[in-house]
Amino acid sequence: MDPSTAAALARSWVQAWNDGDTDAVMDLLHPDATVADVWPRPAKVRAADVRSHLQGRFADHREAVVAFECHLGVDSIALVCELEGGAQRVDTLVLADDGRVVRVMLHG
């Protein structure tokens, strides 16, 4: 993935997250995507449960991203996010061959 494509994906991710838009996030995900998240407790969310997990997280615990840096890896993007209130979170988006996100790891 080239840097401009990675930056566009990062902007789409942050916009969907800030909007609490489950459908927009799901559009970025591969059908087999999993999510590793610390909310409401540390767990790996399997593909079949990702939509309901996101809906719950957005309803109960969504921190708005106010600024971010995008770091491109071989097959991933790391987003270092500054959240409202000054906290930080790193979102690691592992990419499938089709460019969609196959694994999300929310650190923070």
Side-chain angles (χ1 to χ4, degrees):
M1 176 173 286
D2 64 83
S4 63
T5 302
L9 176 58
R11 284 190 303 274
S12 295
W13 176 263
V14 169
Q15 184 66 52
W17 188 273
N18 281 350
D19 290 346
D21 188 340
T22 302
D23 290 334
V25 173
M26 294 300 294
D27 287 344
L28 299 172
L29 299 179
H30 186 276
D32 295 329
T34 60
V35 175
D37 197 355
V38 296
W39 179 91
R41 64 192 176 292
K44 182 175 181 179
V45 181
R46 302 288 177 189
D49 300 319
V50 168
R51 177 177 291 279
S52 62
H53 174 77
L54 290 171
Q55 289 169 332
R57 194 180 213 288
F58 290 155
D60 294 339
H61 188 75
R62 178 174 41 121
E63 308 114 327
V65 175
V66 297
F68 68 93
E69 295 177 14
C70 177
H71 300 275
L72 182 58
V74 173
D75 66 350
S76 63
I77 299 170
L79 299 175
V80 180
C81 303
E82 180 183 337
L83 307 176
E84 284 181 333
Q88 287 191 331
R89 184 181 75 216
V90 177
D91 297 356
T92 303
L93 311 177
V94 179
L95 307 173
D97 290 339
D98 66 1
R100 292 189 289 174
V101 179
V102 72
R103 182 161 189 220
V104 176
M105 293 171 279
L106 300 171
H107 311 279

